Amino acid sequence: ASGRSYTTSSLIIGYALCSSLLAVINKLAITEFNYPALLTALQYLTSTLGVWLLAKLGFLHHDAFTLETARKFLPAAFVFYLAIFTNTNLLRHANVDTFIVFRSLTPLLVAIADASFRNQPYPSKLTFASLVIILAGAIGYVATDKEFTLTAYSWAFAYLVTITTEMVYIKHMVTNLGLNTWGFVLYNNLLSLMLAPFFWIATGEYIDVFSSISSPSGGRNSFLQPAAFFAVSLSCVFGLLISFFGFAARKAVSATAFTVTGVVNKFLTVVINVLLWDKHASPFGLLCLVLTLLGGVLYQQSVT
C-alpha cells in the first residue's frame, strides 16, 4: 500500500509540474507562433514520434495499434482535441489568469458529471464547500476582469464545456479500455494528429500558414524565428511529458481528484506568470484567483 501511495504521489507531482509550466509555455508559444491548430498538431506529432522511437529503442512498451481499438478510442481523442484546441485559442485571446479561472471551474462540473454519468458518489459536504469556494473566486475574477472581451470569453466557455466532458469521458475510457499508459498516449496523440487537418481547413488557418511560408521574410510568426522555434519546441516536449503523466494519473485517482490537481498546481503558474510579464490580472483579480486555488487545496477526494 505504501509503495502504491508513493507511485501515485510521484505521478501526481509529475503531472502537476508539467501542467503548471505548460500553461505559461503554451501562452509564450501561441504569442510567438500565432497558429493554434498547427501548434497543437506539432505537439501531437512530437508525442507520437517520441513514443514510437522510445519503444523501438526498448525504453518503453505500448499496446499495438489496431483499428478496432482506434475506433473505440476515436470519440475520446476527438473530445481531447477539442479541449486542447479551445485551450490554445483561449490562451491566444486572453491572459493566463483567465485560463486558470475557467480551469478552476471544472472540478465542480466534473464532480457532478462524474456522479451523474459514471455512478460515482456525490462529493461530501466539505468537498462540495471547497468546490463552491472555487466557483465564488472565479465569479469574483470575472466580475472585475478589465480585459473582458467577447471573443476571449466565448473561447473560455467553449473550453469549459469541452474540458469537463474530456475529464469524465477519458476517465471512463482509461478505466474500461484496458490499454497501458503509453498505449493511451500513442492512441490519443496519433488520432488527434489525424484530426488536425480538418481543423486547419475548418478554421482557414492553412491559408495563413501558406502565406507565412511563401513570404520572403518567413512572416512575423514564422516557426523559423528563434523565439518561436524555442517556444514551440519546449511546448512539444512538455506536451509529451504531460501526456504520460496525465494518463498515468487518471488511472490512479478519480476524475474529480485529477481535475482538482490540475487546478491546485496553478499556484506555480500564477507566480511564474506575474514574474514573467505584465499580462496578468489586477491585484483584486489575483486575490479572487488565489481564492479559487485555495478552494482546490480544501478539496478532499471523495472516492477512495
Side-chain angles (χ1 to χ4, degrees), residues 155-279:
W155 282 113
F157 280 109
Y159 170 70
L160 184 61
V161 172
T162 54
I163 193 64
T164 301
T165 306
E166 187 259 356
M167 289 291 179
V168 177
Y169 188 63
I170 290 190
K171 175 63 179 180
H172 169 74
M173 297 297 293
V174 166
T175 304
N176 295 285
L177 202 54
L179 298 174
N180 67 7
T181 300
W182 286 113
F184 278 114
V185 174
L186 176 65
Y187 273 90
N188 195 50
N189 284 283
L190 181 56
L191 291 174
S192 296
L193 180 61
M194 293 177 179
L195 292 171
F198 296 101
F199 284 83
W200 294 343
I201 296 172
T203 60
E205 185 178 303
Y206 72 96
I207 299 175
D208 296 330
V209 173
F210 289 144
S211 297
S212 177
I213 294 174
S214 61
S215 173
S217 62
R220 182 178 62 85
N221 290 290
S222 172
F223 182 70
L224 298 177
Q225 299 293 331
F229 182 83
F230 173 76
V232 172
S233 299
L234 196 60
S235 73
C236 288
V237 171
F238 270 81
L240 173 58
L241 292 175
I242 201 171
S243 289
F244 169 75
F245 283 110
F247 277 106
R250 288 176 199 269
K251 281 188 171 183
V253 297
S254 71
T256 308
F258 177 78
T259 308
V260 171
T261 301
V263 171
V264 176
N265 66 60
K266 296 303 184 290
F267 272 117
L268 179 58
T269 306
V270 172
V271 173
I272 295 173
N273 188 48
V274 170
L275 295 176
L276 188 62
W277 47 30
D278 59 357
K279 298 177 181 179

Side-chain angles (χ1 to χ4, degrees), residues 27-214:
K27 177 62 178 179
L28 177 63
I30 200 62
T31 300
E32 298 292 338
F33 187 72
N34 195 24
Y35 308 112
L38 181 56
L39 174 62
T40 54
L42 289 172
Q43 292 172 340
Y44 300 140
L45 178 62
T46 301
S47 296
T48 302
L49 291 179
V51 172
W52 178 81
L53 181 60
L54 290 173
K56 286 293 183 181
L57 295 175
F59 290 107
L60 58 87
H61 169 74
H62 62 75
D63 296 285
F65 186 87
T66 66
L67 291 178
E68 178 61 22
T69 304
R71 182 186 63 80
K72 294 178 180 178
F73 194 79
L74 183 59
F78 179 73
V79 174
F80 174 82
Y81 189 101
L82 286 178
I84 300 300
F85 184 73
T86 53
N87 173 11
T88 306
N89 277 281
L90 171 57
L91 287 171
R92 183 187 187 188
H93 295 285
N95 57 33
V96 175
D97 297 333
T98 304
F99 157 71
I100 293 175
V101 165
F102 277 86
R103 181 69 170 79
S104 300
L105 287 173
T106 55
L108 178 59
L109 299 178
V110 170
I112 296 172
D114 219 13
S116 301
F117 299 107
R118 297 188 59 247
N119 298 318
Q120 299 296 311
Y122 277 97
S124 66
K125 292 181 179 179
L126 178 60
T127 301
F128 191 78
S130 69
L131 298 177
V132 171
I133 291 174
I134 293 175
L135 177 62
I139 293 174
Y141 175 88
V142 172
T144 59
D145 186 8
K146 295 181 180 179
E147 297 185 10
F148 178 93
T149 65
L150 184 59
T151 300
Y153 274 74
S154 295
W155 282 113
F157 280 109
Y159 170 70
L160 184 61
V161 172
T162 54
I163 193 64
T164 301
T165 306
E166 187 259 356
M167 289 291 179
V168 177
Y169 188 63
I170 290 190
K171 175 63 179 180
H172 169 74
M173 297 297 293
V174 166
T175 304
N176 295 285
L177 202 54
L179 298 174
N180 67 7
T181 300
W182 286 113
F184 278 114
V185 174
L186 176 65
Y187 273 90
N188 195 50
N189 284 283
L190 181 56
L191 291 174
S192 296
L193 180 61
M194 293 177 179
L195 292 171
F198 296 101
F199 284 83
W200 294 343
I201 296 172
T203 60
E205 185 178 303
Y206 72 96
I207 299 175
D208 296 330
V209 173
F210 289 144
S211 297
S212 177
I213 294 174
S214 61

